[in-house]
């Protein structure tokens, strides 16, 4: 040749070289499509030896991509949360493959069990199987789905686990069971007595399916209350029923409400109470009353009231604990000079009130449930009091007890719990207490 050869490559690469003597182009290393690219333009220049003339030839090199990189999921496990009732794609799964989509892939859900029947895989999309509606009210809160993808050519399988968390949705309202007929006779049901109970069911899971009950209308004289226990409602007598006040029927609207923390659902059941009339001239008294007092209550403080009927009959009332309480008519009061002291261990579960009509032929025992509350009435007391001195030598070891002080508080638990603090201007002492 009457010239020498040179080479330029676009995009720039050191993979190619040219023999300056004969113009042969050769490969100087391995070509990887994923890192180097799939196409190169090689410009070969022939220049005469006195560098006065030159000519170019363009060669385009196309690199064939090979499936030489294994596939792998971007994560070994995926966690996804969806609301119950979802019917669309649950999540997209991503596979890393440096070769790109070179070969066909086959996606499958492996193993056996409920997850295989509930889910399907279409490409990278994990979906619910046809006709499936996830409902945690069964309840299952998390499903474990194992997904495999097989790539042809490389004969490589990648595996990942998908944890599908189902978020409960409050999608049901409570449904009442048919109530029983209720019949009562005026003045015959004592205060607190259960005269009926009712139930409702809610197919939601957790607190979304827990139910509380309330009276929302019909109890104009406040004769009743509803107590909710374990998803059942107990209708209790709050005060004696008088036929002359309520008539022959009482119609109550009972509401059942779930305890959802998001959006509550409720339903209403109407119940009818038949009230039977009596010759209510004979005396009647409630079976129980209740009240709350503190340990420092003043004398003559009202604790509770007993109401016996009819009002045309005179009653005489006495209480068993006459040292601490007394009766003024039907009113239970705190007695002067009483020894009620929570801190001294004095407490009440119940008292007995005796009621007798003016004829003396009718006597009643009424239970009075009294709740006694604690009052934080005492200051902590140091022993020895005020101030004192302590002496120690300068070389005593760390941890040596320098002084012992005792603190007491005459209040009952938890007001007798004492926390102490130490002011030390030199920051060399610490306070330990037990």
């Amino acid at each position: 040749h009457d010239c020498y050869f040179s080479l330029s490559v676009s995009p720039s690469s050191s993979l190619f070289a040219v023999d300056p003597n004969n113009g042969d182009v050769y490969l100087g290393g391995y070509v990887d499509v994923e890192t180097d690219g799939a196409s190169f333009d090689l410009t070969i220049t022939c220049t005469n030896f006195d560098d006065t003339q030159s000519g170019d030839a363009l060669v385009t090199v196309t690199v064939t991509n090979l499936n030489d990189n294994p596939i792998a999921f971007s994560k070994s496990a995926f966690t996804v949360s969806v609301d119950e009732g979802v019917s669309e794609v649950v999540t997209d799964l991503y596979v890393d493959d440096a070769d790109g989509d070179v070969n066909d892939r086959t996606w499958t859900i492996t193993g056996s069990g409920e997850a295989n029947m509930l889910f399907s895989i279409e490409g990278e999309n994990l979906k619910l199987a046809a006709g499936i509606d996830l409902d945690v009210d069964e309840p299952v809160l998390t499903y474990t789905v194992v997904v495999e993808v097989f790539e042809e050519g490389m004969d490589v399988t990648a595996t990942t686990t998908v944890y599908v968390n189902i978020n409960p949705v409050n999608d049901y309202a409570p449904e009442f069971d048919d109530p029983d007929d209720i019949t009562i006779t005026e003045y015959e049901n004592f205060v607190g007595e259960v005269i009926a109970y009712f139930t409702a069911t809610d197919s939601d899971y957790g607190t979304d399916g827990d139910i509380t009950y309330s009276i929302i209308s019909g109890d104009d004289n406040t004769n009743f209350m509803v107590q909710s226990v374990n998803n059942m409602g107990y209708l209790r007598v709050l005060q004696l029923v008088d036929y002359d006040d309520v008539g022959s029927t009482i119609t109550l609207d009972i509401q059942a409400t779930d305890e959802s923390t998001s959006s509550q659902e409720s339903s209403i059941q109407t119940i009818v109470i038949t009230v039977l009339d009596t010759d209510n001239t004979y005396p009647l008294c409630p079976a129980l009353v209740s009240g709350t007092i503190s340990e420092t209550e003043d004398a003559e403080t009202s604790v509770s009231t007993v109401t016996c009927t009819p009002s045309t009959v005179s009653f005489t009332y006495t209480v068993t604990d006459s040292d601490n309480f007394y009766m003024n008519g039907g009113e239970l009061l705190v007695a002067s000079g009483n020894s009620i002291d929570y801190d001294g261990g004095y407490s009440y579960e119940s008292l007995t009130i005796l009621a007798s009509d003016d004829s003396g032929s009718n006597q009643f025992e009424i239970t009075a449930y009294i709740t006694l509350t604690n009052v934080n009435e005492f200051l902590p007391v140091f022993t020895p009091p005020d101030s004192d001195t302590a002496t120690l030598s300068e070389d005593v070891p760390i941890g040596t007890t320098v002084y012992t002080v005792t603190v007491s508080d005459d209040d009952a638990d938890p007001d007798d719990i004492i926390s102490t603090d130490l002011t030390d201007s030199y920051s060399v002492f610490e306070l330990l207490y037990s």
Side-chain angles (χ1 to χ4, degrees):
H1 297 286
D2 295 330
C3 62
Y4 64 91
F5 297 91
S6 60
L7 177 69
S8 63
V9 182
S10 179
S12 179
S13 174
S14 61
L15 289 171
F16 300 94
V18 65
D19 189 321
N21 297 314
N22 58 25
D24 290 343
V25 177
Y26 59 90
L27 191 63
Y30 291 102
V31 182
D32 187 351
V33 170
E34 289 73 48
T35 57
D36 302 319
S39 179
F40 300 89
D41 290 331
L42 280 58
T43 302
I44 305 167
T45 303
C46 181
T47 306
N48 62 10
F49 289 109
D50 60 4
D51 293 331
T52 59
Q53 294 182 346
S54 64
D56 296 331
L58 176 64
V59 177
T60 298
V61 178
T62 302
V63 183
T64 302
N65 192 15
L66 298 177
N67 190 19
D68 56 351
N69 291 289
I71 59 174
F73 281 99
S74 58
K75 294 189 292 186
S76 60
F78 295 81
T79 300
V80 60
S81 295
V82 296
D83 290 340
E84 64 170 320
V86 66
S87 58
E88 302 297 329
V89 174
V90 175
T91 188
D92 293 327
L93 304 175
Y94 301 100
V95 175
D96 295 328
D97 187 350
D99 297 315
D101 295 329
V102 176
N103 294 317
D104 292 335
R105 296 169 181 166
T106 303
W107 296 76
T108 56
I109 295 176
T110 66
S112 60
E114 189 175 19
N116 293 64
M117 297 182 290
L118 295 177
F119 298 92
S120 64
I121 189 80
E122 296 180 12
E124 294 183 344
N125 298 326
L126 180 64
K127 306 175 66 176
L128 285 177
I132 295 299
D133 180 9
L134 287 182
D135 190 350
V136 300
D137 311 315
E138 296 177 0
V140 175
L141 294 179
T142 301
Y143 293 95
T144 302
V145 186
V146 179
V147 177
E148 286 186 353
V149 57
F150 173 77
E151 184 177 37
E152 298 179 7
M154 285 289 289
D155 292 339
V156 172
T157 300
T159 303
T160 191
T161 301
V162 183
Y163 299 100
V164 182
N165 297 324
I166 311 301
N167 301 322
V169 175
N170 190 22
D171 47 3
Y172 295 99
E175 295 184 4
F176 275 94
D177 299 328
D178 292 336
D180 295 328
D181 295 333
I182 306 172
T183 300
I184 62 173
T185 302
E186 66 167 348
Y187 294 113
E188 287 194 0
N189 300 99
F190 61 83
V191 174
E193 180 181 353
V194 176
I195 62 170
Y197 70 90
F198 26 81
T199 58
T201 56
D202 190 321
S203 298
D204 286 303
Y205 177 72
T207 56
D208 290 346
D210 293 336
I211 302 172
T212 57
Y213 300 87
S214 60
I215 301 172
I216 61 172
S217 66
D219 189 18
D220 298 334
N221 294 307
T222 318
N223 291 116
F224 306 102
M225 64 168 289
V226 176
Q227 181 183 24
S228 301
V229 180
N230 296 329
N231 293 331
M232 293 185 62
Y234 295 87
L235 185 63
R236 295 182 179 273
V237 176
L238 192 59
Q239 63 177 346
L240 298 179
V241 177
D242 188 333
Y243 182 94
D244 298 326
D245 292 335
V246 301
S248 60
T249 59
I250 302 173
T251 302
L252 301 179
D253 286 331
I254 307 297
Q255 180 170 277
T257 305
D258 63 38
E259 297 186 17
S260 172
T261 57
S262 55
S263 58
Q264 290 184 317
E265 298 287 343
S266 63
S267 59
I268 297 174
Q269 175 71 60
T270 298
I271 62 172
V272 177
I273 303 172
T274 300
V275 181
L276 303 180
D277 193 9
T278 62
D279 178 10
N280 56 4
T281 58
Y282 60 88
L284 288 172
C285 293
L288 59 90
V289 293
S290 62
T292 300
I293 58 172
S294 71
E295 62 174 331
T296 57
E297 212 70 75
D298 293 333
E300 299 184 10
T301 296
S302 178
V303 181
S304 187
T305 300
V306 178
T307 302
C308 295
T309 57
S311 58
T312 55
V313 177
S314 297
F315 292 88
T316 301
Y317 301 90
T318 57
V319 62
T320 52
D321 186 358
S322 58
D323 293 333
N324 296 296
F325 300 94
Y326 72 98
M327 300 297 299
N328 181 13
E331 188 175 16
L332 178 65
L333 302 167
V334 176
S336 177
N338 68 80
S339 59
I340 300 173
D341 184 5
Y342 190 101
D343 308 312
Y346 187 95
S347 64
Y348 286 101
E349 289 186 356
S350 64
L351 300 173
T352 299
I353 298 173
L354 301 177
S356 301
D357 65 3
D358 50 7
S359 68
S361 57
N362 294 296
Q363 294 185 339
F364 303 90
E365 286 191 4
I366 301 115
T367 300
Y369 290 103
I370 308 301
T371 301
L372 180 63
T373 59
N374 189 18
V375 176
N376 188 14
E377 53 187 326
F378 297 103
L379 292 173
V381 177
F382 280 90
T383 304
D386 300 330
S387 62
D388 203 356
T389 59
T391 304
L392 75 160
S393 61
E394 62 180 347
D395 58 348
V396 296
I398 295 175
T400 299
T401 299
V402 177
Y403 188 77
T404 300
V405 63
T406 301
V407 186
S408 61
D409 190 319
D410 289 337
D411 284 305
D413 181 64
D415 295 331
D416 64 338
I417 298 175
I418 300 172
S419 62
T420 54
D421 193 15
L422 174 68
T423 301
D424 174 15
S425 57
Y426 295 100
S427 300
V428 296
F429 300 101
E430 65 174 344
L431 183 65
L432 301 177
Y433 52 89
S434 59

